[in-house]
Amino acid sequence: MAMAFSLRVRNTPTSKPHPPPPSSSSSSTSIPRTAVILPGLGNNSADYASLQLTLQGEYGVPTVVAKVSRVDWLRNAAGLLDPSYWSGTLKPRPVLDWYLKRVDDAVQEAKALAQGDETLSLIGHSAGGWLARVYMEEFGVSDISLLLTLGTPHLPPPKGIPGVIDQTRGLLYYVEEHCRKAVFTPQLKYVCVAGRYIKGTKLVGNTEEQQVGPVVPVTDEVLAADVVNSTTNPTFRARFVGQGYKQVCGRADVWGDGVVPEESAHLEGALNITLDGVYHSPIGSSDDSQRPWYGSPGVIEQWVHHLLH
């Protein structure tokens, strides 16, 4: 049986009131922009094949996925040779030039599919969302009218918290300081979608787990799909997830999509949306009815209307 989703729209002061999502039948009358999907860290292009198929087949959205393989991410190891990596002040370029080039190739392919002067939508999943912001800063936004992020850790972790290490080694601090701020305008819309799949807990002092949806394994997209099996104590799962959340936002006892905390996936100035029961990654989410992720058909219909007008 398919899960039910609840939609929470959180308008910041710069955002405008937002109408409820249209049905598939009503949205078919809208003219969709061509979309480019930016894979998240550790993902490859094939992970988004189902999302691409649904956008094109169900909603008529011409879609291009940036060409990325899992092996490509090993290129980031070049950052280990940069002293700024060890000082936590790493910059996106040149270590991520390879990814930005793949995005630009996909944008050029999408422009060829687009008609006339039509602008494009960027859909960034996980790290692909903040990498999209880097791309927009470096390559410009003249061809882009929408950035839609799915479970993206936009905010750098707070400094000075014991046990918290910036996993990006300064990259998110760079994005926060140097990339343009999110402003939801008719010319360029920022829409940030977060998931509330499971609430983390601290290692000590909190033994109660709260979770949306069925009791299922929690799998980080960077780890193997069977890190935690279905017989694992629920409290252990919450603690395991909580430690991941803590590395991202500085706190363990928060809600998130199993990898990225809800509060980190929203941006000031954007149209911020939270979906209950939505998991972070397509990896390990083969059963959309049991563990839907942002790209599952029943979840897509909650945000796809932003691509259609």
Side-chain angles (χ1 to χ4, degrees):
M1 181 176 64
M3 292 178 60
F5 306 98
S6 68
L7 173 69
R8 311 175 187 196
V9 179
R10 301 183 178 184
N11 291 310
T12 61
T14 56
S15 301
K16 296 182 178 180
H18 178 71
S23 63
S24 299
S25 59
S26 65
S27 63
S28 63
T29 60
S30 303
I31 301 175
R33 292 181 293 266
T34 302
V36 177
I37 298 174
L38 283 64
L41 177 65
N43 290 106
N44 65 22
S45 304
D47 293 333
Y48 304 91
S50 178
L51 170 58
Q52 181 183 27
L53 182 63
T54 300
L55 290 177
Q56 294 183 153
E58 296 295 325
Y59 299 98
V61 178
T63 306
V64 176
V65 182
K67 294 179 173 59
V68 176
S69 71
R70 298 198 207 287
V71 175
D72 282 328
W73 292 105
L74 296 176
R75 297 167 182 257
N76 292 1
L80 294 171
L81 302 178
D82 191 328
S84 63
Y85 175 93
W86 302 103
S87 64
T89 57
L90 189 65
K91 298 178 180 180
R93 310 191 76 170
V95 67
L96 288 167
D97 277 352
W98 70 270
Y99 187 95
L100 299 177
K101 177 64 166 57
R102 303 294 177 85
V103 174
D104 193 52
D105 288 345
V107 166
Q108 300 309 315
E109 182 180 347
K111 287 172 62 177
L113 293 176
Q115 299 180 357
D117 297 328
E118 176 185 317
T119 54
L120 308 176
S121 300
L122 298 185
I123 304 173
H125 170 239
S126 195
W130 62 260
L131 284 163
R133 295 171 61 196
V134 174
Y135 174 82
M136 292 162 64
E137 192 66 31
E138 296 290 326
F139 289 76
V141 297
S142 60
D143 297 317
I144 301 165
S145 56
L146 170 68
L147 171 60
L148 188 147
T149 64
L150 305 171
T152 290
H154 284 291
L155 307 179
K159 296 181 179 180
I161 298 180
V164 175
I165 300 175
D166 176 19
Q167 304 296 306
T168 70
R169 307 308 300 151
L171 290 173
L172 281 178
Y173 289 103
Y174 179 92
V175 172
E176 184 176 56
E177 181 177 350
H178 296 281
C179 291
R180 67 182 66 226
K181 304 303 179 184
V183 180
F184 190 91
T185 68
Q187 293 74 35
L188 179 57
K189 300 179 176 68
Y190 287 76
V191 179
C192 301
V193 184
R196 277 172 65 99
Y197 182 77
I198 182 172
K199 184 178 181 181
T201 63
K202 302 176 182 178
L203 281 177
V204 294
N206 189 347
T207 58
E208 182 179 355
E209 176 199 30
Q210 292 180 305
Q211 180 173 333
V212 173
V215 176
V216 292
V218 175
T219 310
D220 190 311
E221 65 181 330
V222 182
L223 302 178
D226 60 352
V227 165
V228 184
N229 62 45
S230 59
T231 62
T232 303
N233 185 289
T235 299
F236 176 81
R237 287 199 298 273
R239 289 173 174 170
F240 175 81
V241 170
Q243 290 310 295
Y245 290 165
K246 183 177 179 180
Q247 297 304 313
V248 180
C249 73
R251 294 176 53 203
D253 54 344
V254 295
W255 281 95
D257 61 14
V259 175
V260 175
E262 176 187 5
E263 61 191 66
S264 299
H266 288 166
L267 266 179
E268 182 180 357
L271 177 62
N272 292 313
I273 298 171
T274 293
L275 299 177
D276 288 338
V278 176
Y279 182 63
H280 180 76
S281 174
I283 299 177
S285 300
S286 59
D287 188 345
D288 287 319
S289 65
Q290 292 300 308
R291 187 165 63 187
W293 77 288
Y294 296 102
S296 297
V299 182
I300 294 173
E301 66 182 22
Q302 301 295 318
W303 53 258
V304 70
H305 53 288
H306 294 288
L307 306 180
L308 305 178
H309 58 79

